[in-house]
Amino acid sequence: MAQAPVLPAGFELPLEPRLPRIGSVDAVALEERAGSLAKRSIKRDAKVFALRLAIRTTDLTTLEGADTPGKVAALCSKAMRPDPTDPSIPSCAAICVYPNLVPTARERLEGSGVHVAAVATGFPSGQYPTSIKVADVRSAVELGADEIDMVIDRGAFLSGRYAKVYDEVVRVKEACGEAHLKVILETGELGTYDNVRRATLLAIAGGADFVKTSTGKISPAATLPIALCMLEAVRDVYFETGRRVGFKAAGGIRQAKQAVQHLVVVHETLGPEWLTPELYRLGASSLLNDILMQLRKEKTGAYQSPDYFTLD
Amino acid sequence: MTRLPIKKTYKLFVGGAFPRSESGRTYEAEGQNVARASRKDVRDAVRAARAAQPGWAGATAYNRGQVLYRLAEMVEARIPEFAELCSGRDEVERSIDRVVWYAGWADKLPQVLGGANPVAGPYFNFTIPEPTGVVAVLAPDEPPLLGLVTRLLPPLVGGNAVVAVASEQRPLAAIELAEAIATSDLPGGVVNLLTGFRSELAPVLASHMDVNALDLGAANGAAAELEQLAAENVKRIVHGGVDVQSPWEIASFLELKTVWHPIGQ
């Protein structure tokens, strides 16, 4: 393993002197603001716009031990044409799978514009030697993934070994080559908003193209206050350096209403510029059907039933 | 000093709770302000019914019978209150007897409506009744209590969950019944009672894709229009009577499933 730099580069200031500016998060104000943004009333045209945007930014995900090529193939069809009866519904942004299923997804999605994301680096725990994590990423890229979702080593982060976390992000970014790197913080295990903010900045300093809330394996996952906390860190980096880092909310977003709330938070924190699949993603599986049901309800005026949408 | 009596606020019954209408609206019926449900209350009620239905259908037939029997006990305990809200004691007693009569059917349906069928082949062929799912009921105006009980019990016995729209003019007996149901061991969401304008709520229920059957007993002139809306997902349509009592009433909300099971070496 390469010697981890004592202080991460990438910030114009080294980490230690910068810590005061990394600062601490006012938890009460953060939750209050997230709560008030969640109450925004989004109706009719704006709702349809938001729901279609949510589909365009969705990373349709399946991360089960029981995943088969058949299941991934079905999911790929769904990502390309979410509602088979309505061609006006846009495609999803990407499919997110384990590395072994990348070739299947790649083949199915050829030419569709839907990306293939693979989780790597010992997902979901990240408790593996760095060399194995880097090899994991290399092989996922070789198999055809054009986006890599890595997990940070929470064990290292929580015991204060920030440099190890930083170093791993740097080395994984290197191993990614052309592939986009999303760094999963698993905020549910970080404990405090301060830690979330710190980990977000650390991941960005290490070269993350995207920061992502959670693996989806533990709860709580992508709550609104967590999303807001991370988005504010992304915004601070943008104001400070002009660098645009993407954000992916994943885990626990199952209803269309929640997705719209997340989009409101992004819009109010980073502005409409971030409301594109290049800078914003929603990681979800069951969410998509709920959005499709809402869109069909807007179209037909009748409340919908899951009986008439695909099982996946 | 005289005591200030606590006045009752008449609310909806959705998912085992008594919420006001999400719209905040009320209307006047029988001299009281009664909640006027909106289409979103219908949506919530259907969602609650859908969530509760598998548990209710999955309970043993004996258990369903016992729970409904307890509903009769709860109404029996409030006979005077019910009598004031309908035509009188006689109607309440007939309602209670009807609940008990249907409760007894819970564990007899499979034997009467299903059975083993003779087939020309090496198969054991049998038919079993299964609940239709979520049933929407438009309760009749008269008699206010007996009419509702008559339409409510048949789908319930078979293991369906119900969203009922109470009589527009006479909703108080329905709300009183909701209070008896809430204390009867019936799982929350199995029965949901909405008060409000039938002309506003019925089309939403009829077009709702997650409703599987529609009892149009009290639809009066609007039946044809509602049946058209219900055709979109081919709902089972029932034109129920206001004072009938028969196992075939239950059968209207059951689906017969036939199974072919190979036998022999």
Side-chain angles (χ1 to χ4, degrees), chain A residues 43 301-305 308, chain B residues 39-40 207-210 233:
Chain A
K43 298 287 181 205
Y303 288 119
Q304 297 298 312
S305 162
Y308 304 96
Chain B
R39 54 182 286 136
K40 284 193 180 173
S207 64
H208 198 307
M209 297 293 279
D210 213 17
N233 69 333

Side-chain angles (χ1 to χ4, degrees), chain B residues 10-162:
Chain B
Y10 292 89
K11 298 183 202 164
L12 311 174
F13 182 52
V14 175
F18 291 90
R20 292 180 166 84
S21 167
E22 66 68 48
S23 63
R25 301 175 305 179
T26 58
Y27 74 105
E28 208 176 305
E30 301 181 77
Q32 299 290 346
N33 277 322
V34 175
R36 186 181 147 199
S38 68
R39 54 182 286 136
K40 284 193 180 173
D41 292 312
V42 172
R43 176 196 66 185
D44 294 347
V46 173
R47 190 178 292 158
R50 176 57 67 195
Q53 196 269 332
W56 178 238
T60 61
Y62 174 74
N63 181 242
R64 284 205 302 274
Q66 289 293 298
V67 170
L68 291 174
Y69 187 86
R70 184 169 161 82
L71 172 60
E73 289 175 14
M74 293 300 105
V75 180
E76 181 88 20
R78 317 168 71 128
I79 288 180
E81 289 94 324
F82 274 106
E84 277 180 29
L85 301 175
C86 62
S87 65
R89 196 178 173 96
D90 180 57
E91 186 185 334
V92 184
E93 286 173 354
R94 290 189 62 212
S95 303
I96 296 169
D97 294 351
R98 185 148 296 166
V99 174
V100 174
W101 191 86
Y102 275 116
W105 270 101
D107 53 4
K108 299 169 188 70
L109 293 167
Q111 301 90 304
V112 176
L113 301 172
N117 313 315
V119 288
Y123 298 98
F124 176 41
N125 182 291
F126 57 99
T127 298
I128 45 172
E130 289 186 344
T132 300
V134 172
V135 175
V137 168
L138 303 182
D141 289 322
E142 291 294 339
L145 179 63
L146 185 64
L148 177 61
V149 166
T150 302
R151 298 321 314 154
L152 206 53
L153 263 292
L156 274 187
V157 182
N160 298 285
V162 179

Side-chain angles (χ1 to χ4, degrees), chain A:
Chain A
M1 181 183 141
Q3 188 64 46
V6 181
L7 301 166
F11 283 125
E12 72 282 52
L13 290 173
L15 184 65
E16 284 305 328
R18 191 174 165 110
L19 270 175
R21 268 207 287 149
I22 289 173
S24 59
V25 178
D26 180 344
V28 174
L30 184 78
E31 284 170 12
E32 179 59 35
R33 173 143 178 86
S36 71
L37 290 176
K39 289 198 202 91
R40 288 276 169 87
S41 177
I42 309 290
K43 298 287 181 205
R44 294 171 209 281
D45 291 352
K47 184 176 170 188
V48 171
F49 171 81
L51 293 173
R52 291 175 64 92
L53 176 65
I55 294 179
R56 284 199 293 123
T57 58
T58 291
D59 282 6
L60 202 56
T61 304
T62 180
L63 295 169
E64 308 287 338
D67 286 346
T68 56
K71 184 179 176 190
V72 169
L75 211 64
C76 289
S77 308
K78 185 155 182 166
M80 290 187 281
R81 177 72 81 83
D83 186 343
T85 65
D86 186 353
S88 73
I89 304 278
S91 301
C92 296
I95 281 280
C96 183
V97 291
Y98 275 118
N100 269 356
L101 295 150
V102 165
T104 308
R106 178 90 269 163
E107 188 193 325
R108 289 281 170 161
L109 295 172
E110 205 60 67
S112 67
V114 178
H115 295 283
V116 179
V119 294
T121 72
F123 182 93
S125 71
Q127 300 277 24
Y128 293 87
T130 309
S131 55
I132 292 182
K133 293 186 182 179
V134 172
D136 191 3
V137 171
R138 285 228 169 83
S139 78
V141 173
E142 274 164 29
L143 287 169
D146 50 13
E147 299 182 355
I148 295 291
D149 288 28
M150 76 169 283
V151 286
I152 63 164
D153 184 340
R154 280 88 73 196
F157 182 86
L158 291 170
S159 53
R161 287 174 284 147
Y162 296 158
K164 175 164 195 285
V165 177
Y166 171 82
D167 180 55
E168 282 189 352
V169 177
V170 171
R171 295 197 48 194
V172 166
K173 172 69 186 168
E174 228 171 72
C176 279
E178 292 291 292
H180 243 57
L181 175 64
K182 303 186 204 127
V183 180
I184 305 173
L185 308 181
E186 192 62 307
T187 52
E189 291 182 343
L190 296 184
T192 64
Y193 294 124
D194 283 359
N195 276 348
V196 171
R197 182 175 168 86
R198 224 171 270 191
T200 308
L201 292 172
L202 201 60
I204 294 173
D209 298 306
F210 262 73
V211 284
K212 171 174 167 185
T213 58
S214 325
T215 59
K217 297 293 178 197
I218 72 156
S219 179
T223 64
L224 276 185
I226 290 282
L228 180 57
C229 177
M230 290 175 66
L231 287 166
E232 283 181 348
V234 168
R235 182 189 61 192
D236 293 349
V237 168
Y238 174 64
F239 283 166
E240 187 105 11
T241 67
R243 181 174 153 206
R244 289 184 178 85
V245 179
F247 174 75
K248 174 171 170 183
I253 306 169
R254 295 195 182 84
Q255 291 171 347
K257 197 174 184 176
Q258 291 172 290
V260 173
Q261 289 169 348
H262 273 273
L263 291 174
V264 169
V265 170
V266 177
H267 185 270
E268 295 301 306
T269 312
L270 289 160
E273 205 185 333
W274 253 261
L275 294 177
T276 120
E278 281 73 50
L279 286 170
Y280 185 74
R281 295 288 175 85
L282 282 162
S285 34
S286 54
L287 170 69
L288 184 55
N289 266 8
D290 197 53
I291 295 178
L292 294 176
M293 279 166 63
Q294 293 298 322
L295 282 172
R296 202 180 291 177
K297 186 237 146 193
E298 292 299 319
K299 199 170 170 182
T300 63
Y303 288 119
Q304 297 298 312
S305 162
D307 288 357
Y308 304 96
F309 292 83
T310 53
L311 290 171
D312 27 44

